[in-house]
Amino acid sequence: MKNITFTMIKPYAVECGNIGTILDIIITHNFKIRAMKYTRLSRSQAEKFYSVHKDRPFFNDLVEFMSSGPIVAAILEKENAVNDYRELIGSTDPAQAAEGTIRKLYGYSVQKNAVHGSDSDENAIIESNFFFPTFERY
Ligand code: CMP
């Protein structure tokens, strides 16, 4: 059964000019783009999106970074989307990520790790709803 995951191409990967290459990898691996936008999170939107991490020591830096410049947000559809996408992007820390993964190729640090990917089907729905109303999905 097809399901969805949610991704963001983060500010530093956008700044480095990697939007096209990252989207190409995603499409080549058979993820269908159901929704997509080029946007910038306000500080309060970033705080809300990452609220699950609000008690972590890195929360303020994370919010600062994620609201520092434009991002690309997208809903991706595929069988086993959440797990397959997590495999495609690799470990949170690019230094630990497997060869060929998006974070290994385009990540710079744990914070500037190129892309976000949902960690569960439940969060994929919550995160997708955060960015996209029904009429922006195709
Ligand atoms: P992401 O997949 O967007 O989900 C939460 C983000 O928090 C994660 O990617 C990292 O960029 C960031 N993060 C997680 N752990 C740390 C950490 N120990 N130090 C700094 N940033 C972190």
Side-chain angles (χ1 to χ4, degrees):
M1 200 194 87
K2 290 191 173 172
N3 54 13
I4 59 165
T5 191
F6 171 80
T7 190
M8 285 186 282
I9 302 177
K10 299 188 178 187
Y12 189 65
V14 170
E15 191 185 323
C16 292
N18 293 324
I19 294 175
T21 338
I22 291 172
L23 289 177
D24 192 45
I25 294 173
I26 290 170
I27 292 163
T28 305
H29 285 79
N30 298 320
F31 289 87
K32 276 215 157 119
I33 294 170
R34 289 298 177 204
M36 185 161 68
K37 66 175 70 167
Y38 185 51
T39 187
R40 181 173 177 168
L41 289 167
S42 66
R43 213 191 142 80
S44 67
Q45 284 172 320
E47 278 172 359
K48 194 172 169 206
F49 184 86
Y50 280 114
S51 59
V52 65
H53 297 301
K54 66 180 185 317
D55 296 327
R56 309 288 288 273
F58 57 83
F59 181 67
N60 274 337
D61 285 347
L62 177 63
V63 166
E64 184 85 13
F65 169 61
M66 288 304 297
S67 57
S68 68
I71 57 146
V72 173
I75 300 175
L76 309 176
E77 185 186 71
K78 187 182 181 294
E79 270 179 35
N80 203 29
V82 168
N83 288 334
D84 284 6
Y85 192 62
R86 286 172 71 76
E87 201 168 306
L88 182 63
I89 67 179
S91 303
T92 304
D93 180 356
Q96 310 289 327
E99 290 299 328
T101 59
I102 292 173
R103 283 171 168 165
K104 184 70 171 188
L105 290 166
Y106 301 109
Y108 179 76
S109 64
V110 174
Q111 182 181 79
K112 296 178 175 174
N113 61 355
V115 290
H116 168 79
S118 307
D119 63 4
S120 65
D121 289 337
E122 187 191 3
N123 282 335
I125 290 165
I126 293 169
E127 293 171 359
S128 297
N129 290 344
F130 183 91
F131 276 88
F132 296 102
T134 318
F135 64 85
E136 289 183 2
R137 303 178 189 207
Y138 308 99

